[in-house]
């Protein structure tokens, strides 16, 4: 329990040897019970860059992947047909190039003998250049198609765990369609807090896991590391980092208690309370008077330095001196 301000206890020795203390107002933290959901910081889809049929699917839900790892392969048979057509055209152009080069060599011989004109020789050279240009164009077109074939491999955008795989092997997909959803960026406890408590939260606050009073029985704590600025449906999203948080089941709900306010309360040690006939009472020691047994209405239990204390709703006032451990 985090205390705001100084909590003062005035201890003194009584004639009987018992300890007394003065009850003073103490600022205590108000806790709000909510549920947190185990989630990953990032939720990134691995998308197909090529339309076609899923020929290979190498991942399933729960599997861990690394950034850049191929998780599926999409094939488009039309690309292979286009590659075959380009190969056939290249073979034909290669044959035409050989013929054109032979004619150019003969034309050069005839030109040297003065049989043909310069214009004719230039036409033969141009024919060779045109065919060579067409061959270079086919090679570039082939590189483009080969790159498209390579883009059939679906890569993991980042390291993480595969949360869902909405397709199966043999499915027909379009460019941009999701093949798998990957959760990365670490595992956090994501909270959805009512907006009226948003102003009471700040990054760095300690968050307690547990559903009991003050989260006392829950030894685990976390740190509020991110408070999202957008409010949706009257709720604010927040990420809590918990050391050793089990990330095997994303979406698992855990009880959480948030510090959302402070108020003053009168506290007494649990040992100062006694019960008779279903009523709770404490012994007080007024000044210049005998001890009195006063009936009180206790509230919730509060932990201070690991010791149990009880809030007193009525029966005591500020300045009362309560005897500790006297029956």
């Amino acid at each position: 329990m985090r205390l705001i301000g100084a909590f003062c206890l005035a201890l003194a020795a009584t004639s009987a040897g018992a300890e007394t203390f003065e009850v003073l107002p103490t600022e205590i933290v108000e806790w709000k019970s909510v549920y947190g959901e185990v989630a990953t910081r990032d939720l990134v889809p691995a998308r197909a860059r090529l339309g076609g049929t899923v020929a290979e699917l190498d991942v399933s839900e729960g599997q861990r992947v690394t950034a850049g790892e191929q998780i599926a392969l999409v094939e488009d048979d039309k690309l292979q047909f286009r590659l075959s057509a380009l190969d056939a055209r290249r073979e034909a152009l290669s044959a035409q190039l050989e013929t054109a080069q032979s004619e150019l060599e003969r034309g050069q011989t005839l030109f040297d003998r003065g049989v043909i004109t310069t214009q004719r020789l230039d036409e033969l050279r141009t024919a060779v250049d045109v065919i060579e240009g067409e061959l270079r164009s086919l090679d570039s077109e082939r590189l483009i198609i080969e790159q498209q074939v390579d883009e059939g491999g679906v890569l993991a955008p980042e390291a993480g765990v595969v949360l869902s795989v909405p397709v199966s092997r043999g499915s027909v997909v379009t460019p941009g369609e999701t093949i798998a959803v990957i959760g990365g960026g670490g595992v956090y406890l994501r909270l959805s807090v009512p907006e009226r408590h948003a102003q009471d939260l700040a990054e760095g606050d300690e968050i307690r896991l547990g559903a009991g009073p003050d989260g006392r029985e829950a030894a685990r704590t976390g740190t509020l590391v991110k408070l999202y600025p957008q409010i949706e449906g009257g709720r604010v999203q927040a990420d809590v980092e918990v050391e050793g948080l089990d990330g095997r089941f994303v979406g698992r709900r855990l009880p959480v208690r948030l510090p959302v306010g402070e108020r003053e309360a009168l506290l007494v040690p649990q040992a100062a309370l006694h019960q008779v006939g279903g009523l709770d009472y404490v012994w007080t020691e007024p000044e210049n008077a005998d001890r009195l047994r006063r009936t009180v209405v206790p509230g919730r239990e509060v932990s201070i330095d690991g010791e149990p204390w009880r809030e007193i709703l009525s029966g005591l006032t500020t300045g009362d001196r309560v005897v500790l451990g006297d029956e």
Side-chain angles (χ1 to χ4, degrees):
M1 169 68 68
R2 180 171 58 90
L3 298 181
I4 306 300
F7 182 75
C8 300
L9 294 178
L11 296 176
T14 66
S15 58
E19 291 184 340
T20 64
F21 64 92
E22 184 179 358
V23 179
L24 297 175
T26 306
E27 288 188 348
I28 63 175
V29 178
E30 283 291 325
W31 297 85
K32 169 68 176 178
S33 297
V34 297
Y35 271 92
E37 188 175 283
V38 178
T40 56
R41 171 65 63 83
D42 303 321
L43 203 62
V44 186
R47 302 183 184 275
R49 297 174 291 174
L50 176 71
T53 304
V54 179
E56 298 178 11
L57 190 60
D58 303 323
V59 295
S60 60
E61 290 82 353
Q63 184 175 337
R64 293 203 164 268
V65 295
T66 58
E69 178 183 348
Q70 179 170 311
I71 62 177
L73 178 64
V74 178
E75 292 183 350
D76 186 356
D77 294 337
K78 297 189 295 296
L79 296 179
Q80 297 299 328
F81 297 150
R82 290 177 61 184
L83 287 175
S84 299
L86 287 177
D87 291 339
R89 288 176 58 190
R90 198 181 196 290
E91 290 179 3
L93 286 175
S94 297
Q96 293 179 19
L97 180 61
E98 291 179 2
T99 302
Q101 288 175 340
S102 298
E103 291 180 355
L104 178 59
E105 291 175 359
R106 288 194 299 269
Q108 184 66 48
T109 302
L110 295 174
F111 176 78
D112 293 340
R113 294 177 182 177
V115 176
I116 63 174
T117 63
T118 302
Q119 181 180 1
R120 175 57 183 165
L121 182 62
D122 291 340
E123 290 176 355
L124 294 175
R125 286 198 184 102
T126 301
V128 172
D129 292 341
V130 169
I131 296 175
E132 288 177 345
E134 291 181 356
L135 284 172
R136 288 193 296 271
S137 177
L138 286 179
D139 291 339
S140 298
E141 189 174 350
R142 181 180 178 84
L143 289 176
I144 294 174
I145 297 176
E146 288 176 348
Q147 178 63 31
Q148 290 178 334
V149 173
D150 292 339
E151 289 179 353
V154 181
L155 307 180
E158 69 172 284
V161 60
V162 178
L163 300 180
S164 66
V165 183
V167 300
S168 60
R169 187 173 300 165
S171 300
V172 177
V173 296
T174 58
E177 187 169 344
T178 300
I179 303 299
V181 178
I182 298 173
V187 180
Y188 295 84
L189 198 61
R190 183 153 296 166
L191 309 181
S192 182
V193 184
E195 61 180 324
R196 65 180 180 275
H197 299 306
Q199 298 298 328
D200 300 319
L201 299 177
E203 295 183 1
D205 285 349
E206 181 184 80
I207 307 300
R208 299 196 173 190
L209 276 69
D214 305 321
R216 184 174 57 82
E217 77 280 14
R220 302 183 66 186
T221 62
T223 304
L224 185 65
V225 295
K226 188 173 182 63
L227 194 63
Y228 291 88
Q230 185 174 1
I231 296 177
E232 296 182 354
R235 290 185 171 271
V236 178
Q237 301 294 321
D239 284 346
V240 177
E241 188 177 53
V242 181
E243 184 177 356
L245 182 64
D246 187 0
R248 291 178 299 170
F249 301 103
V250 176
R252 183 166 62 101
R253 287 159 56 86
L254 296 175
V256 177
R257 296 184 71 83
L258 304 175
V260 294
E262 297 150 4
R263 64 180 178 86
E264 287 189 346
L266 298 179
L267 303 178
V268 298
Q270 180 69 46
L273 285 170
H274 310 287
Q275 193 174 71
V276 175
L279 297 177
D280 294 284
Y281 69 91
V282 296
W283 286 99
T284 61
E285 189 177 75
E287 293 185 6
N288 303 321
D290 295 334
R291 295 181 186 177
L292 298 177
R293 188 173 72 175
R294 298 175 64 173
T295 303
V296 296
V297 178
R300 66 179 185 176
E301 184 176 312
V302 178
S303 177
I304 301 178
D305 296 330
E307 297 295 330
W309 292 67
R310 291 292 290 275
E311 178 184 0
I312 301 301
L313 302 179
S314 67
L316 291 178
T317 59
T318 301
D320 285 342
R321 301 187 68 84
V322 175
V323 180
L324 179 63
D326 193 6
E327 293 287 350

